[in-house]
Amino acid sequence: MLSGYHLILTTIGLLLSIVSFLLMSKSQKRFLYTRLSSWTSITSQDRSTPSSKTPPRSLSPEKKPPSNLPPPVDYKDIFPPWRREALSIARKDTCLDPVYEIPDFLGREQLIPFTADYRTCKSPATTYTPMAFSLSEITSLGDFTDYAELSGVPLPEPYHEFNLETALPRPYRPLRWGYHQTMALNKLQTNWWLELEKTYLERIKERKDLFANNGDMVLDYLPGSELGCKEVMEMALQFYCARYPQYFSLSKSEDDGYVFHNGILHNTTIIKDMHPLHVLLENVPEDFAVMIRNPEDGYYYFRAGILCSSLGWSVKSKLGMQLKEIHNPIPDYKEKMEFSMDRSAAPFPTPTNPTLSQNTATSPNSPPTDPSSAAPGASKSTPHSSCLPAIPTKNTANCNSPRKNSHFPASTCVSIGRPSAVCR
């Protein structure tokens, strides 16, 4: 009963106080505020200072890298797997000394310089690629060597019943289950490394128009990428001829050398008259990004490419960058993926076990006429995301890039993708 009486008095007093405050003049309110402020400051000064300070919580705290990140790794002395045992079979009738063993460790002074052209290097017999092949041995293999034997991955089975007029891309559902940011590595079905579909003619024309209008924004190469570009082109054409023999073939003549016959475009390409990336531009509607190993630090750098379907970036904006620099804009890349990407790129597993990395991207439409102007929008996806193994003539690596990621023989990690369904 007494507590209820006190509650009523407290409520009446509070109401009278509010009414009194509202009836005060401005000068009286100002005086009251000044007295209360001075009393508050005196009270706060009398308080004892705590022994430990707790900083105020930020409304938008900056993201800091976790303290449990793996320690930095020195990749200079970590090399891709070697397959020198396949060299004697691949070169067949060439008159060279038997394949001999080289030391387990290749010093950097024995490796081909990062920006050197393999065709003009001095001392080719004692200059090696990170795949432990001397430049003399690579030259002896000639053009369109047996990459299937070198890599341990056979050529695809012929697809005689394939009909280009009705061919559609295979279904690809990367977000069918819960999404987690990983490298997304899976086993590659080598028959489906490079695929054709009924938009082949349209895509070839579109890509050539993009290059005509944008130049080095979609196709460019730096010194030191010559051998990598050559191998990528030769492997792609060999694959086309083996998989789709009803449409493609290779011939060789004394005057023109190797000639690629395209039965869909009804034309021929003299290989020696074009840079390898231009041969791909004319015949293969895929994107290729060539990554070369730098012997000074063991990391891979983007040294050449043809990219007509990249989202928000171009060849010109990324050329020459290290793998982690290329992926720098990706959220959480450093914390979650950088270490795994670099680690897998250096000593990639046995070449005979090719893998693919399936990736997705968003785009408002088909590839833009300006390759640098793409912006996020409607989702598009592709099944074409693959990774061929390292073939032993250079410094192959894995690459989790905007398109299908592929391993090639010598010094290349190549990402490949289709402009019809951008993959990132």
Side-chain angles (χ1 to χ4, degrees), residues 36-347:
L36 290 174
S37 299
S38 61
W39 178 81
T40 303
S41 62
I42 294 173
T43 304
S44 62
Q45 290 176 3
D46 291 341
R47 293 177 180 175
S48 59
T49 304
S51 59
S52 62
K53 295 182 179 180
T54 303
R57 178 175 295 179
S58 172
L59 295 179
S60 57
E62 296 181 358
K63 183 179 294 184
K64 297 180 180 180
S67 59
N68 60 346
L69 287 177
V73 180
D74 187 356
Y75 292 105
K76 293 193 294 291
D77 300 325
I78 300 177
F79 297 94
W82 299 347
R83 278 184 54 84
R84 291 186 56 79
E85 70 279 3
L87 179 61
S88 57
I89 301 175
R91 62 189 181 187
K92 296 182 176 119
D93 57 351
T94 54
C95 300
L96 294 176
D97 295 333
V99 176
Y100 59 92
E101 294 297 325
I102 61 175
D104 291 338
F105 172 76
L106 277 178
R108 276 180 286 167
E109 66 278 359
Q110 298 173 267
L111 297 176
I112 181 173
F114 187 47
T115 60
D117 186 338
Y118 76 103
R119 297 167 296 187
T120 58
C121 276
K122 297 179 181 179
S123 306
T126 56
T127 303
Y128 292 86
T129 71
M131 296 297 294
F133 279 67
S134 72
L135 300 187
S136 294
E137 292 169 336
I138 292 175
T139 303
S140 72
L141 292 172
D143 298 329
F144 290 93
T145 187
D146 190 349
Y147 291 110
E149 186 62 48
L150 287 176
S151 67
V153 177
L155 286 170
E157 300 173 352
Y159 194 179
H160 295 293
E161 61 273 23
F162 176 78
N163 184 354
L164 184 68
E165 296 180 357
T166 59
L168 297 173
R170 290 185 300 154
Y172 175 53
R173 302 179 180 90
L175 302 180
R176 186 175 179 180
W177 294 277
Y179 173 76
H180 300 282
Q181 187 176 16
T182 66
M183 293 178 63
L185 297 178
N186 292 285
K187 184 178 180 179
L188 169 67
Q189 300 177 23
T190 52
N191 280 342
W192 303 101
W193 173 44
L194 301 177
E195 297 184 51
L196 296 181
E197 57 189 68
K198 63 182 181 181
T199 59
Y200 176 86
L201 292 172
E202 175 187 346
R203 294 309 178 192
I204 289 290
K205 180 182 183 303
E206 182 180 50
R207 293 164 64 83
K208 292 171 68 173
D209 291 342
L210 281 170
F211 174 69
N213 295 329
N214 298 282
D216 60 2
M217 292 187 70
V218 298
L219 190 156
D220 202 2
Y221 41 88
L222 296 177
S225 64
E226 293 82 7
L227 184 53
C229 293
K230 174 179 180 290
E231 290 179 346
V232 171
M233 177 271 295
E234 291 180 349
M235 289 187 68
L237 297 192
Q238 280 185 345
F239 184 95
Y240 266 14
C241 293
R243 183 62 170 166
Y244 310 107
Q246 65 271 43
Y247 295 115
F248 307 105
S249 63
L250 275 168
S251 65
K252 186 178 181 181
S253 66
E254 294 184 2
D255 296 332
D256 296 331
Y258 279 97
V259 179
F260 181 68
H261 303 267
N262 191 321
I264 302 174
L265 298 175
H266 303 290
N267 62 17
T268 58
T269 301
I270 300 176
I271 302 299
K272 69 178 184 179
D273 291 347
M274 285 188 182
H275 186 276
L277 294 185
H278 285 274
V279 175
L280 294 172
L281 175 68
E282 296 285 332
N283 295 281
V284 183
E286 304 276 1
D287 282 3
F288 296 83
V290 181
M291 308 292 293
I292 306 293
R293 184 184 185 275
N294 188 340
E296 295 301 319
D297 57 19
Y299 287 97
Y300 286 80
Y301 291 77
F302 178 30
R303 302 294 292 178
I306 169 174
L307 297 166
C308 296
S309 51
S310 55
L311 295 181
W313 63 282
S314 64
V315 171
K316 186 175 183 179
S317 67
K318 300 288 187 179
L319 197 64
M321 288 188 179
Q322 190 179 323
L323 194 62
K324 64 180 179 181
E325 296 172 328
I326 295 173
H327 294 87
N328 185 58
I330 298 177
D332 297 328
Y333 176 82
K334 180 176 180 60
E335 294 81 3
K336 295 184 178 181
M337 297 187 65
E338 179 181 320
F339 177 76
S340 297
M341 291 281 288
D342 290 335
R343 180 179 58 182
S344 65

